[in-house]
Amino acid sequence: MTDVTADPDRAAQLRDQIVDTLIADGTIVSKPVETAMRAVPRHQFAPDASMDEVYSAYNAVFTKKDEHGVIMSSVSAPQIQAMMLEQAGIEPGMRVLEVGSGGYNAALIAELVGASGEVTTVDIDPEVTDRAARLLAGAGYTRVRVVCADATDGVPAYGLYDRIVVTAGAWDIPPAWVSQLTAGGRLVVPLRMRGLTRSIAFDRAGDHLTSVSAQVCGFVPMQGAGAHREELLLVTGTGEIGLRFDDGLPADPSRLDNAVRTPRAETWSGVLIGRQEPFDTLQLYLATVLDGFCIMAVDPDLDTGLVAPANRWFCMAAVDGGSFAYVTTRRTADEASVEFGVHALGPDAVALAERVAEQIRTWERERRSGPGPVIRVYPADTPDDQLPDGRVIDKQHCRISISWPAATAA
């Protein structure tokens, strides 16, 4: 027995502390979400975890790993769950489908829909659904339906749904997730676009979806038919530097073979940002305007200093022909902020570094103070002339359009 299950009163106290923290940081903004998160005993859905693990506002609890240690299932961090429930706007009496089962989030949804609503949770892994069903029943949420199936097809037996909440990282939007929504229904999904994942709330309008909010997040990736692997391009023979592409490698990746043999070009943008200030719109903006956008990672065990990213695990980058560039930062004199810069390697390194830096300056002038883009999802056979202006990302089942509003002064 863990310390949490041994002392439920202490667990309830810690649960209230988490909710108070999430109210203070602006994650929880509605009374229904607050009430649900105070009511559901989170510790009963992670019985093997310690008190510190279960009752941390910003950390997930991992419940299943494969033989290589890769996370297969988890109870998401309370902050992420509260954020997505606020995005979903679930009301009493609604019919809700949850894609990705763990038990705890389905219990929160059950609290939100009340006795007159319906909750169905689906997962491809029978071990996960068996565990979720057992834990839900033990916590008293016997009305939640638990279905073992590949969620690519949705769960048509119990739809149409007012809300579909996806709790696994998705690369694509299968048609069933749109067709099984009611008119005006909402899909909340952690969607990966060009290597960036955002929890996006989409409202249905006919055959397509339009975003109403987007928040930074990270999730265990989808399994089954919806699984999708990024492609990795190693630009050094040792594997020191890897470039991850979400939608296919460059046309001739061998052109990068000698990029690291050239001197590193460095340019600085003059754009400053506070150390704790989010810059997720910059990430989306560069992913929109740079054709060769990708994510760079450096193996710390093989790092020779050829590149110097601010974050070796996740760094915005771009490829153009035989050159590649990446975004980094340097400290300012007052150390209260950092400055964005660009490093590049390859025969056109100087020009590429300056082009990327100029896009950072454009973001500063026109996008930093304004709203983020509108993201729309259309059927895969939608012609180009029926799509709005902006970056179009083609997936297997859909076409995603990222459109920025009119520029605003910084």
Side-chain angles (χ1 to χ4, degrees):
M1 180 179 291
T2 67
D3 47 2
V4 172
T5 55
D7 190 355
D9 291 338
R10 175 62 175 161
Q13 181 183 26
L14 292 175
R15 187 161 63 250
D16 283 341
Q17 290 178 5
I18 284 178
V19 174
D20 292 343
T21 297
L22 297 179
I23 291 173
D25 73 9
T27 300
I28 295 178
V29 296
S30 69
K31 192 64 177 179
V33 172
E34 175 190 349
T35 301
M37 295 200 71
R38 291 192 192 279
V40 178
R42 179 176 168 88
H43 61 280
Q44 293 191 26
F45 295 91
D48 298 323
S50 71
M51 183 178 289
D52 289 341
E53 290 175 313
V54 171
Y55 287 107
S56 171
Y58 303 104
N59 293 324
V61 177
F62 305 133
T63 54
K64 182 179 179 180
K65 297 181 180 180
D66 67 12
E67 66 274 18
H68 305 294
V70 176
I71 299 164
M72 304 295 290
S73 183
S74 68
V75 179
S76 297
Q79 185 268 336
I80 292 291
Q81 290 170 310
M83 178 190 78
M84 294 184 72
L85 292 176
E86 292 286 6
Q87 286 183 292
I90 298 168
E91 299 176 359
M94 282 186 168
R95 182 178 292 151
V96 180
L97 172 65
E98 180 196 35
V99 174
S101 297
Y104 175 63
N105 199 60
L108 292 171
I109 295 171
E111 291 284 342
L112 291 170
V113 302
S116 61
E118 297 181 20
V119 181
T120 302
T121 182
V122 59
D123 199 284
I124 195 172
D125 187 336
E127 184 178 332
V128 170
T129 53
D130 288 349
R131 181 178 185 276
R134 183 178 69 255
L135 295 175
L136 282 162
Y141 294 94
T142 56
R143 295 180 64 249
V144 175
R145 298 189 190 96
V146 182
V147 177
C148 184
D150 190 326
T152 300
D153 299 322
V155 185
Y158 307 114
L160 300 172
Y161 300 98
D162 300 292
R163 299 289 187 266
I164 298 177
V165 180
V166 181
T167 61
W171 178 81
D172 202 353
I173 304 292
W177 294 0
V178 181
S179 64
Q180 290 175 28
L181 275 176
T182 58
R186 179 170 294 179
L187 167 69
V188 180
V189 54
L191 181 62
R192 199 168 82 232
M193 303 166 292
R194 310 206 81 194
L196 304 175
T197 300
R198 298 291 185 268
S199 174
I200 306 177
F202 289 108
D203 283 352
R204 181 179 179 181
D207 67 347
H208 69 277
L209 306 171
T210 300
S211 68
V212 293
S213 69
Q215 303 286 345
V216 175
C217 68
F219 271 87
V220 175
M222 193 76 63
Q223 301 178 51
H228 179 84
R229 289 183 176 272
E230 297 173 312
E231 294 190 67
L232 179 65
L233 174 59
L234 300 177
V235 294
T236 57
T238 63
E240 174 186 354
I241 304 168
L243 303 176
R244 303 201 308 267
F245 293 85
D246 208 26
D247 303 296
L249 296 175
D252 187 1
S254 65
R255 295 179 64 184
L256 286 170
D257 287 349
N258 295 314
V260 297
R261 301 181 187 278
T262 65
R264 188 171 77 198
E266 301 184 6
T267 187
W268 297 93
S269 66
V271 176
L272 307 182
I273 191 164
R275 289 187 173 275
Q276 301 301 319
E277 182 181 347
F279 54 93
D280 52 296
T281 58
L282 174 60
Q283 295 175 332
L284 279 174
Y285 181 71
L286 293 181
T288 303
V289 299
L290 299 176
D291 290 338
F293 184 85
C294 58
I295 302 299
M296 185 182 79
V298 181
D299 187 328
D301 295 328
L302 301 174
D303 189 359
T304 63
L306 281 170
V307 293
N311 184 335
R312 290 188 297 188
W313 304 106
F314 187 95
C315 179
M316 295 178 285
V319 169
D320 187 1
S323 302
F324 72 96
Y326 61 91
V327 178
T328 189
T329 59
R330 66 179 178 185
R331 295 179 180 179
T332 54
D334 62 6
E335 296 198 356
S337 59
V338 295
E339 179 186 4
F340 286 117
V342 183
H343 295 174
L345 295 99
D348 298 316
V350 173
L352 178 57
E354 182 53 40
R355 287 202 302 274
V356 176
E358 184 54 34
Q359 292 293 0
I360 296 174
R361 298 182 192 109
T362 300
W363 169 79
E364 161 78 8
R365 292 192 304 268
E366 301 178 359
R367 303 298 177 193
R368 183 173 184 168
S369 299
V374 177
I375 302 167
R376 298 179 178 89
V377 177
Y378 293 86
D381 59 357
T382 304
D384 288 347
D385 60 6
Q386 295 182 22
L387 297 174
D389 293 337
R391 168 69 62 176
V392 175
I393 305 171
D394 287 314
K395 308 282 189 174
Q396 179 182 357
H397 297 298
C398 69
R399 307 191 76 186
I400 298 174
S401 164
I402 304 177
S403 302
W404 291 84
T408 58

